[in-house]
Amino acid sequence: MNNILVTNKVTKQFGQHTALNKVSLEIPKNCIYGLLGPNGAGKTTLIRIINQITYPDSGEVFFDGELLKPHHISMIGYLPEERGLYKSMKVGEQALYLAQLKGLSKSEAKARLKYWFDRLDIGDWWNKKVQELSKGMAQKIQFIVTVLHEPKLLIFDEPFSGFDPINANLIKDEILELKNQGASIIFSTHRMESVEELCDHIALIHQSEKILDGKLSDIKKAYKNNIFQVGLELDNGASLLQELEAKFQISEAVNVSEEKQLNFKIQLPTNNSSELLAYLSGKANISQFTEKVPSANEIFIRTVQDKDAHE
Amino acid sequence: MNKLPLIIKREYLAKVRNKSFVIMTFLSPILMVGMVVLIAYLTKLNDNEKRVISVLNESDYFSTDFVSTESTGYIHFRDINLKAAKDSTDALGLYGLLYIPHDSDLEKVANESYFYSKEAASTHVLSGLEEIFQDRLHQRKLQILEVSTKDYAELGDKFEINTSTFEGDQNLKGINELKAAIGGAFGYLIMMFIIIYGGFVMRSVIEEKTSRIIEVIISSVKPFQLMLGKIIGTSLAGITQFAIWIISAGLLLLVAFAIFGIDPDMLNQGADIRDVMGVDVSSPMPLPSQFMEYFQEIYKLPWLMLIIFFFIYFILGYLIYSSIYAAIGAAVDNETDTQQFIFPIILPLMLAIYVGFFSVFSNPHGPIAVGFSLFPLTSPIVMLMRLPNGIGDGGVPIWQVVTSIALLIVTFIGIVWLAAKIYRIGILMYGKKPSYKELFKWLRY
């Protein structure tokens, strides 16, 4: 069994509004799975179904090969987008309470909390009240509470919102470390930069439907359209450019005569670039020749726009 | 592992450690005692005000009737006209002027007498004056009828019929009212508890929503568990508060006994209660022996049964209402939005109290009393007012008790189920002020 979580045609309606329409996902073990989509696409509803906060109208969810049941709760760690803490409770007391709700014994929870507090360098917060903490500080506590019971599956909904860049980096490293230790992670966001850095797999949810999913590298390959970024050093750039423009689609061409530098993007009919490379190497000194791989952001925007255009 | 005890513990501690809770718990008995003392003091102050009235008596009657007493003083004017009397009354700053015109006929004199005052006269003063006139008129009529005052006094003997149940238990007059008042106290306690602690439950739910911790919690526990834990934890805090109040009230009473030198044993031995309580002996009160009968009657009440039923009705009633409160808390984003939903909850509670006081007191087993003691939203209060009469013969029929509890349990299950549904949806809804229509829709999600 290689999937930690499988959803099979999960559908959820709120009155007239369909929040999820037959969404089927396969989330492999020990990977970071990016759940992407515009606001209101249905990501949070799906996550709430996985956490058994709400229930699907039809379809099933399987956790590690078993039909999702209440006892799986203790194997899932969830950091919701709308998150907070009890304001008037002390930090340590509160963390203990939340850990015990996840099924840890008091002594076990204490020991693990001590480890994590030291690790994130917040050991002296134990007796502080939450209302004395800044938003970023409170987020750290929430992160600890989410991962404390060492769940098999971690779900982070917009985990970096509210963090300054330094702490965001710290948390990102912790997430990668958790993956190295064997956890599977669902990572929901609409910020694409972090997707590139973290995710192995992605699924794109748009208007309650899954419109794309798979390995990030595969998707990128599929979305390549044989565009190459070329940089040449030669004396007469203008004439070569003219020559090429007759045969290929050229864009963003920049010819700097004084520096004998010509840069352009070129669209090839196939992915076979060796012919062009051989041709160019006879004419000029090649300073750059890279294939333009679309960013997750481009894929996201293109897929969503394609989908909207078809309707 | 069962997480309910954890939630209950947290809710309890969160409530009990709250500063305002601690302050309220220890301050309110003091405030309460202070209030009673203040009211007593003010009442005394009010009574002590002596009013002086001038009397211009031109008739041949009433020459000896207006004699100064502790509360009212009389000044008699002579040989001046009404205008001058009015002026000097005003100039002297007296309360008012009683003018009695000259006439040979007493009735005419009485009818044409006037009381002048700067402001509208107090009814207390007027009734004092009227009493004097009435007495005089009475005596006059008795004279005409040739009845002696002594004969008349004998006529005035009051009569009260003795009552008894078929079993031969003597009934004391007014004991029904007394019993209902005891039940009413229980019912009132329940109402106060529901309103105060239901409000706490509601605020606690709103707090979880506004602090955004709710989604973290319900990814670990079922919303229903959280709701139940919250209700139980908060009510335990409430019971703690009540226990502290009762104990401190007891202590205060002991202290009061010690200070005023009253031996609590005297109460039990049936000493003259009026002396003990410092009541004016001359005031018309039932005889001491009758007091003892009332005490015995109250003592004879089925206290164990009452307390058991108090807890049954209290727990069921409180659970029903507080789960509604929890649902309201879940449905709104802040406390100001709760008003439209709270009024319909308080309505049946108020209705129960008023129906209880007006209907159950006069007829504990009448159709209205029976109806309201069966209807689940009012039964915890109204039934408790009826129960001091006992269950079974002469009291509340067993079937009514059983039916009302059964209805309560059914309602409890239904309401908690509905409330849990609204709660489950509501806690995850932000930024919307829901209408009743919206809530109804949530029930079907």
Side-chain angles (χ1 to χ4, degrees), chain B residues 156-313:
Chain B
D157 262 357
K158 270 196 178 168
F159 177 74
E160 284 179 12
I161 194 155
N162 296 315
T163 60
S164 160
T165 62
F166 288 130
E167 283 74 34
D169 288 336
Q170 293 270 321
N171 282 337
L172 283 166
K173 211 165 179 288
I175 194 70
N176 273 343
E177 283 84 346
L178 200 62
K179 283 175 174 174
I182 288 167
F186 279 134
Y188 198 75
L189 206 62
I190 290 182
M191 185 192 77
M192 291 309 291
F193 198 91
I194 287 174
I195 290 178
I196 294 173
Y197 287 93
F200 281 150
V201 169
M202 187 181 75
R203 252 161 288 174
S204 160
V205 175
I206 295 174
E207 191 216 322
E208 271 174 2
K209 268 190 89 172
T210 49
S211 73
R212 298 286 197 266
I213 197 176
I214 187 72
E215 201 164 343
V216 179
I217 304 267
I218 57 165
S219 66
S220 317
V221 299
K222 288 203 170 303
F224 182 69
Q225 267 182 326
L226 180 61
M227 187 176 99
L228 208 62
K230 196 172 278 299
I231 290 170
I232 296 173
T234 308
S235 51
L236 286 180
I239 289 169
T240 309
Q241 194 170 45
F242 269 79
I244 291 172
W245 284 346
I246 289 169
I247 290 168
S248 58
L251 287 179
L252 277 177
L253 212 61
L254 281 183
V255 170
F257 280 155
I259 289 173
F260 296 115
I262 300 164
D263 183 1
D265 285 343
M266 274 164 63
L267 290 173
N268 300 340
Q269 287 162 2
D272 191 334
I273 196 79
R274 293 171 301 171
D275 285 346
V276 176
M277 293 170 75
V279 174
D280 185 1
V281 183
S282 62
S283 62
M285 275 253 182
L287 292 167
S289 66
Q290 222 173 336
F291 251 108
M292 276 321 289
E293 281 181 56
Y294 279 105
F295 264 104
Q296 276 163 6
E297 196 72 21
I298 290 169
Y299 184 74
K300 273 197 309 200
L301 283 178
W303 283 105
L304 184 67
M305 179 275 276
L306 270 182
I307 287 167
I308 290 170
F309 277 98
F310 171 72
F311 276 104
I312 292 174
Y313 281 102

Side-chain angles (χ1 to χ4, degrees), chain A residues 48 78 82 84 86 93 101, chain B residues 3 17 208 211-212 215:
Chain A
R48 282 179 181 166
Y78 173 39
E82 295 281 4
Y86 288 112
E93 218 180 333
L101 283 187
Chain B
K3 291 158 187 166
R17 282 188 196 158
E208 271 174 2
S211 73
R212 298 286 197 266
E215 201 164 343

Side-chain angles (χ1 to χ4, degrees), chain A residues 27-150:
Chain A
I27 297 168
K29 277 184 185 164
N30 196 17
C31 85
I32 300 185
Y33 193 97
L35 193 60
L36 319 177
N39 290 325
K43 286 174 295 180
T44 302
T45 306
L46 183 63
I47 289 174
R48 282 179 181 166
I49 287 173
I50 297 170
N51 279 296
Q52 301 175 66
I53 292 169
T54 47
Y55 298 92
D57 297 334
S58 65
E60 304 97 43
V61 180
F62 297 92
F63 184 89
D64 210 358
E66 298 167 38
L67 198 65
L68 190 68
K69 289 269 165 60
H71 73 264
H72 289 122
I73 282 287
S74 61
M75 295 176 224
I76 301 177
Y78 173 39
L79 184 69
E81 186 180 4
E82 295 281 4
R83 49 186 178 253
L85 296 165
Y86 288 112
K87 284 199 181 66
S88 50
M89 251 177 131
K90 283 181 181 158
V91 170
E93 218 180 333
Q94 177 147 216
L96 264 182
Y97 170 63
L98 294 172
Q100 281 176 283
L101 283 187
K102 280 287 183 189
L104 288 181
S105 73
K106 198 170 182 180
S107 52
E108 180 75 39
K110 237 179 192 160
R112 290 192 196 183
L113 278 171
K114 197 173 157 10
Y115 165 78
W116 273 100
F117 271 51
D118 287 344
R119 191 183 164 100
L120 294 187
D121 212 16
I122 54 172
D124 52 338
W125 291 1
W126 189 270
N127 277 321
K128 278 194 179 177
K129 278 198 172 178
V130 170
Q131 52 203 8
E132 299 168 32
L133 302 184
S134 72
K135 199 180 168 199
M137 290 158 113
Q139 299 262 39
K140 273 192 184 176
I141 313 278
Q142 286 152 1
F143 179 81
I144 293 176
V145 169
T146 310
V147 301
L148 195 72
H149 59 292
E150 293 172 2

Side-chain angles (χ1 to χ4, degrees), chain B residues 26-212:
Chain B
F26 291 99
L27 213 58
S28 22
I30 297 169
L31 279 177
M32 204 76 124
V33 172
M35 193 90 104
V36 171
V37 170
L38 187 71
I39 289 171
Y41 175 72
L42 288 178
T43 314
K44 213 172 161 198
L45 208 67
N46 204 20
D47 283 352
N48 276 357
E49 194 195 339
K50 188 168 178 174
R51 295 196 177 92
V52 182
I53 294 167
S54 54
V55 182
L56 179 61
N57 189 357
E58 293 174 350
S59 73
D60 301 329
Y61 307 99
F62 301 111
S63 53
T64 56
D65 289 309
F66 294 100
V67 181
S68 293
T69 64
E70 226 175 273
S71 60
T72 321
Y74 297 100
I75 293 175
H76 296 272
F77 289 152
R78 266 177 238 294
D79 306 326
I80 52 173
N81 63 23
L82 182 57
K83 173 92 178 42
K86 275 184 195 168
D87 288 345
S88 40
T89 303
D90 197 22
L92 288 168
L94 302 180
Y95 187 77
L97 168 69
L98 176 66
Y99 173 65
I100 302 167
H102 177 78
D103 205 293
S104 54
D105 181 35
L106 176 65
E107 258 178 78
K108 242 182 173 173
V109 169
N111 281 338
E112 281 166 19
S113 290
Y114 261 92
F115 184 75
Y116 300 98
S117 62
K118 201 169 181 181
E119 295 146 19
S122 100
T123 47
H124 183 72
V125 170
L126 287 185
S127 61
L129 295 175
E130 278 160 4
E131 215 170 288
I132 292 171
F133 278 95
Q134 255 166 22
D135 266 4
R136 198 74 184 79
L137 288 168
H138 243 117
Q139 280 170 23
R140 167 85 176 182
K141 278 193 182 139
L142 289 175
Q143 260 177 15
I144 293 167
L145 292 168
E146 292 178 345
V147 180
S148 78
T149 326
K150 184 171 158 282
D151 287 344
Y152 176 70
E154 271 169 21
L155 263 180
D157 262 357
K158 270 196 178 168
F159 177 74
E160 284 179 12
I161 194 155
N162 296 315
T163 60
S164 160
T165 62
F166 288 130
E167 283 74 34
D169 288 336
Q170 293 270 321
N171 282 337
L172 283 166
K173 211 165 179 288
I175 194 70
N176 273 343
E177 283 84 346
L178 200 62
K179 283 175 174 174
I182 288 167
F186 279 134
Y188 198 75
L189 206 62
I190 290 182
M191 185 192 77
M192 291 309 291
F193 198 91
I194 287 174
I195 290 178
I196 294 173
Y197 287 93
F200 281 150
V201 169
M202 187 181 75
R203 252 161 288 174
S204 160
V205 175
I206 295 174
E207 191 216 322
E208 271 174 2
K209 268 190 89 172
T210 49
S211 73
R212 298 286 197 266

